[in-house]
Amino acid sequence: PGKSEVWLYRWLGEEPEVLGCLGGAAGLGRSLAAGRIDEDDEEELVVADNGDVWILRGAALAAASPAPDEPCGVDWLPEGAELDRLTCDDVDGSHVCEGSEFGAALIVADLDGDGSGEIIVGAPGMSAAGKRRTGAVLVYDWTQEGGAAFADLRLLSSSTEGSRFGAALAVAPQRGRDVILAGAPGANKAALIYCSDLYTGESARCR
């Protein structure tokens, strides 16, 4: 991220080859995640810069020709490689995007158990409900028709200023679907986000 570059390598034999270098956005590569998001069986690559979260199609990257030896950029990516870009401004509600650190942590998790993952974005600097840097975890669901759409926003129920909820994220599989583990280092807490607005199952915990 200090150089705003993400280097991609591919193993087709015993030795890796450089596939290409992504660049062109400040802080690109400050967090990375991978997981199956769209309709095919390849995992997508999710990359954050200082403002946006990029979703790159794994199948397109796997089939790409090695980039020419030139400065890092995106022009070498094959057509259709970039599925979408997410921004904090896509979200409605009483939150403040300025200084939110949107994308400081990323995971892909299947919250509804449908076999395709959702993009989970940590924004530990986000202010909400009149409190500074309480932090938030945002969920985006991929649809074939509309791309990645904002689906859910989670805050600590006992948020205090400086909690920085969402500074770290992890996935925990639970009976055919995933739940989210989120750190709030400013409050010395970690939270298990068991329920999501996407989940339609019979769990009594989520009724």
Side-chain angles (χ1 to χ4, degrees):
K3 289 188 175 182
S4 302
E5 298 174 356
V6 173
W7 287 83
L8 301 171
Y9 295 82
R10 178 167 56 195
W11 276 260
L12 296 177
E14 294 184 359
E15 296 295 329
E17 66 172 346
V18 177
L19 179 59
C21 176
L22 297 174
L28 186 68
R30 66 181 180 134
S31 59
L32 303 166
R36 182 172 174 264
I37 294 170
D38 67 2
E39 73 283 0
D40 61 39
D41 292 329
E42 299 285 351
E43 293 191 350
E44 276 58 64
L45 175 64
V46 186
V47 184
D49 61 32
N50 284 349
D52 299 339
V53 172
W54 306 29
I55 306 171
L56 301 176
R57 188 188 296 275
L61 294 177
S65 299
D69 186 13
E70 58 185 32
C72 295
V74 295
D75 292 342
W76 64 271
L77 288 172
E79 184 177 356
E82 186 177 338
L83 288 176
D84 212 340
R85 286 196 202 186
L86 311 177
T87 70
C88 181
D89 294 327
D90 295 334
V91 185
D92 298 324
S94 58
H95 66 282
V96 178
C97 281
E98 184 178 358
S100 68
E101 300 175 56
F102 181 81
L106 295 171
I107 56 171
V108 176
D110 184 6
L111 303 181
D112 51 10
D114 67 353
S116 295
E118 287 74 53
I119 304 101
I120 319 299
V121 182
M126 182 178 285
S127 298
K131 298 176 182 178
R132 297 179 61 252
R133 294 186 296 124
T134 56
V137 173
L138 302 92
V139 177
Y140 295 82
D141 189 21
W142 172 263
T143 64
Q144 287 301 107
E145 299 78 18
F150 172 70
D152 201 1
L153 174 68
R154 295 286 157 173
L155 306 167
L156 275 177
S157 58
S158 57
S159 289
T160 57
E161 289 202 2
S163 293
R164 293 185 56 75
F165 183 56
L169 297 171
V171 180
Q174 291 281 317
R175 298 180 182 177
R177 66 187 183 96
D178 295 330
V179 296
I180 305 168
L181 290 166
N188 299 316
K189 293 180 179 179
L192 177 67
I193 306 174
Y194 191 87
C195 302
S196 165
D197 287 349
L198 297 172
Y199 178 63
T200 58
E202 296 298 321
S203 171
R205 188 177 300 189
C206 296
R207 289 174 185 165

